[in-house]
Amino acid sequence: MAKHALLSASSSHRWLNCPPSARASEGMEDKGSAFARQGTDAHTLCEYKVKKALGMEPRDPTEDLDYFDAEMDNCTNEYCAFVMEQMEAAKVFCKDPQLMVEQRLDYSRWVPEGFGTGDAVIVADRELHVIDFKYGLGVLVEAEENPQIRCYALGALDAYDGIYDIETVKMTIFQPRRGNVSTAVMDKTDLLTWAETVLAPTAKLAYEGGGEYKAGDHCQFCKLKATCRKRAEYNLELARYDFEMPSSLEPNEIAVILPRIDELVSWGKDIKEYALQQALRGEKYDGFKVVEGRSVRKYTDEAVVAATVSNAGYDPFERKLLGITAMTSRLGRKKFEELLGDLVVKPQGKPVLVPESDKRPAMNTAADDFNV
């Protein structure tokens, strides 16, 4: 089993905000998920394709991947093309850049026992470029102010600065299923200053189990999220509002509640799931019991059902036009645009209330129209 760093780069957003959570969750079972395993398969395919593009002869892992499909094939092709484009761009200002794939990066100079793996690292005179592939679809990942990719960049900088004359550090998140290519650029000195003044002292605190618990969006992937008292206190603060008469709430009060709603809902779901798992192990909760949920009928053998209905003279199948995502996977992006580009329209999305920090432009409201 691969060793994992206590203060991993992937969990840095959490332990930088809540230092004691690192030690408090140490040793707790990491159940993983189908999404994580799917991401691992995609990363394996990315590594293979980039190495092959570099002229190496790696073994094709496709037949070993449980989650391989046309979408994964397309996304990893896009990633490989992007990485190779960045490599060619580096050759413009450096005659001998290097591209490292799945490179082990040690950032223990700032974080005790800190190490991670960089999906693609391009080292050249003037510029270091770290590229992190994200296959996830649920959470949009930005490169700006991203501590995970900064840790990777620090590891690469510590290994190659001096061999190359690096001035600027470029950090890119490549998230094809969200159509997201996010890049942040920092001067080398600014990144090192952040490492010395923010990362290192907080990492020391976290490694020693010190600091104070703090709740926030960083709780999402914490193993303690269901039972953490600080998170409970954070969410239960909303109980001081009287929700029986929401019309009595003033706009400024609603503005205080809005940023907390998603976290409150997420916390409630985490509590319910934790309580269910504990109840299945025998824990008793006053006023609650475990029952069998709603069940949906299903065929025991679809192939036999299809054959039986066909033999009876009926068509057991229904025809349905492939959706845009499935059709793109079937045809490939280039062919899809060639054949169907003029036949696709994107209607206006449903209005959503989001924080002002969201990068999407604001919609015109009725008040805006009135003021024109």
Side-chain angles (χ1 to χ4, degrees), residues 20 29 43 96 102 122 125 136 165-166 171 253 311 313 332 347 368:
E29 181 184 2
H43 274 82
D96 59 346
E102 291 298 309
I122 300 172
D125 286 325
D165 186 16
I166 299 169
M171 297 160 283
E253 294 178 299
N311 292 337
D368 295 327

Side-chain angles (χ1 to χ4, degrees), residues 139 215-222 224-228 231-232 234-236 238 257-275:
V139 179
D217 61 356
H218 52 272
C219 297
Q220 182 178 5
F221 299 109
C222 182
L224 299 168
K225 63 182 181 180
T227 58
C228 177
R231 190 179 182 215
Y234 175 80
N235 285 286
L236 289 173
L238 287 178
I257 295 171
L258 281 174
R260 304 283 292 277
I261 293 296
D262 289 343
E263 166 61 20
L264 183 63
V265 172
S266 176
W267 175 65
K269 289 180 178 178
D270 291 337
I271 289 288
K272 289 185 70 173
E273 178 59 25
Y274 174 80

Side-chain angles (χ1 to χ4, degrees), residues 43-61:
H43 274 82
T44 300
L45 199 56
C46 283
E47 179 182 6
Y48 163 72
K49 290 183 176 180
V50 175
K51 285 184 175 180
K52 186 176 180 181
L54 288 171
M56 302 180 190
E57 297 182 358
R59 175 182 172 276
D60 187 342

Side-chain angles (χ1 to χ4, degrees), residues 234-246:
Y234 175 80
N235 285 286
L236 289 173
E237 285 178 13
L238 287 178
R240 67 189 180 90
Y241 290 98
D242 182 1
F243 287 104
E244 292 183 6
M245 296 182 64

Side-chain angles (χ1 to χ4, degrees), residues 195-314:
E196 296 293 346
T197 61
V198 177
L199 181 65
T202 309
K204 182 176 184 296
L205 199 63
Y207 191 77
E208 295 172 350
E212 296 185 3
Y213 286 96
K214 179 183 176 183
D217 61 356
H218 52 272
C219 297
Q220 182 178 5
F221 299 109
C222 182
K223 298 174 186 177
L224 299 168
K225 63 182 181 180
T227 58
C228 177
R229 186 169 297 278
K230 179 59 69 174
R231 190 179 182 215
E233 292 171 354
Y234 175 80
N235 285 286
L236 289 173
E237 285 178 13
L238 287 178
R240 67 189 180 90
Y241 290 98
D242 182 1
F243 287 104
E244 292 183 6
M245 296 182 64
S247 61
S248 67
L249 293 174
E250 297 295 328
N252 64 315
E253 294 178 299
I254 293 176
V256 171
I257 295 171
L258 281 174
R260 304 283 292 277
I261 293 296
D262 289 343
E263 166 61 20
L264 183 63
V265 172
S266 176
W267 175 65
K269 289 180 178 178
D270 291 337
I271 289 288
K272 289 185 70 173
E273 178 59 25
Y274 174 80
L276 171 61
Q277 296 306 319
Q278 292 301 109
L280 290 173
R281 293 187 178 105
E283 185 70 45
K284 301 295 183 182
Y285 295 99
D286 292 343
F288 289 86
K289 62 182 179 181
V290 177
V291 299
E292 184 176 313
R294 178 176 176 271
S295 179
V296 179
R297 295 182 301 165
K298 65 179 183 179
Y299 296 122
T300 56
D301 190 320
E302 292 188 357
V304 173
V305 169
T308 301
V309 174
S310 295
N311 292 337
Y314 297 94

Side-chain angles (χ1 to χ4, degrees), residues 19-219:
S21 66
R23 283 294 180 193
S25 59
E26 185 181 17
M28 293 182 68
E29 181 184 2
D30 188 354
K31 298 179 180 178
S33 68
F35 299 114
R37 293 190 291 274
Q38 184 185 46
T40 298
D41 279 2
H43 274 82
T44 300
L45 199 56
C46 283
E47 179 182 6
Y48 163 72
K49 290 183 176 180
V50 175
K51 285 184 175 180
K52 186 176 180 181
L54 288 171
M56 302 180 190
E57 297 182 358
R59 175 182 172 276
D60 187 342
T62 304
E63 64 180 20
D64 301 327
L65 305 179
D66 295 328
Y67 295 90
F68 176 79
D69 56 16
E71 182 181 29
M72 185 179 290
D73 194 29
N74 287 334
C75 288
T76 51
N77 281 340
E78 291 176 16
Y79 168 78
C80 179
F82 177 80
V83 171
M84 298 312 294
E85 286 171 7
Q86 301 308 304
M87 182 61 171
E88 289 303 310
K91 291 178 181 178
V92 173
F93 53 82
C94 179
K95 64 179 182 180
D96 59 346
Q98 289 189 54
L99 169 56
M100 273 72 70
V101 183
E102 291 298 309
Q103 178 74 15
R104 190 183 192 279
L105 300 170
D106 187 319
Y107 50 92
S108 58
R109 174 178 162 188
W110 301 276
V111 178
E113 301 176 8
F115 67 91
T117 303
D119 297 330
V121 179
I122 300 172
V123 190
D125 286 325
R126 287 176 38 191
E127 184 179 274
L128 166 70
H129 193 176
V130 178
I131 303 169
D132 193 30
F133 177 79
K134 300 291 187 187
Y135 196 61
L137 187 60
V139 179
L140 184 71
V141 184
E142 301 285 357
E144 204 69 46
E145 302 290 333
N146 185 315
Q148 177 181 6
I149 202 165
R150 285 188 179 186
C151 284
Y152 292 157
L154 285 166
L157 195 62
D158 197 42
Y160 299 104
D161 192 25
I163 301 175
Y164 287 84
D165 186 16
I166 299 169
E167 301 172 2
T168 303
V169 179
K170 182 185 288 187
M171 297 160 283
T172 296
I173 301 293
F174 191 88
Q175 191 177 16
R177 297 172 79 199
R178 290 293 297 265
N180 175 40
V181 181
S182 175
T183 299
V185 180
M186 296 181 73
D187 288 339
K188 177 181 72 175
T189 53
D190 291 339
L191 179 60
L192 291 172
T193 297
W194 174 80
E196 296 293 346
T197 61
V198 177
L199 181 65
T202 309
K204 182 176 184 296
L205 199 63
Y207 191 77
E208 295 172 350
E212 296 185 3
Y213 286 96
K214 179 183 176 183
D217 61 356
H218 52 272
C219 297

Side-chain angles (χ1 to χ4, degrees), residues 320-330 336 340:
K320 183 179 179 182
L321 186 66
L322 292 174
I324 290 176
T325 300
M327 190 71 79
T328 303
S329 296
R330 175 73 59 83
F336 179 90
L340 305 175

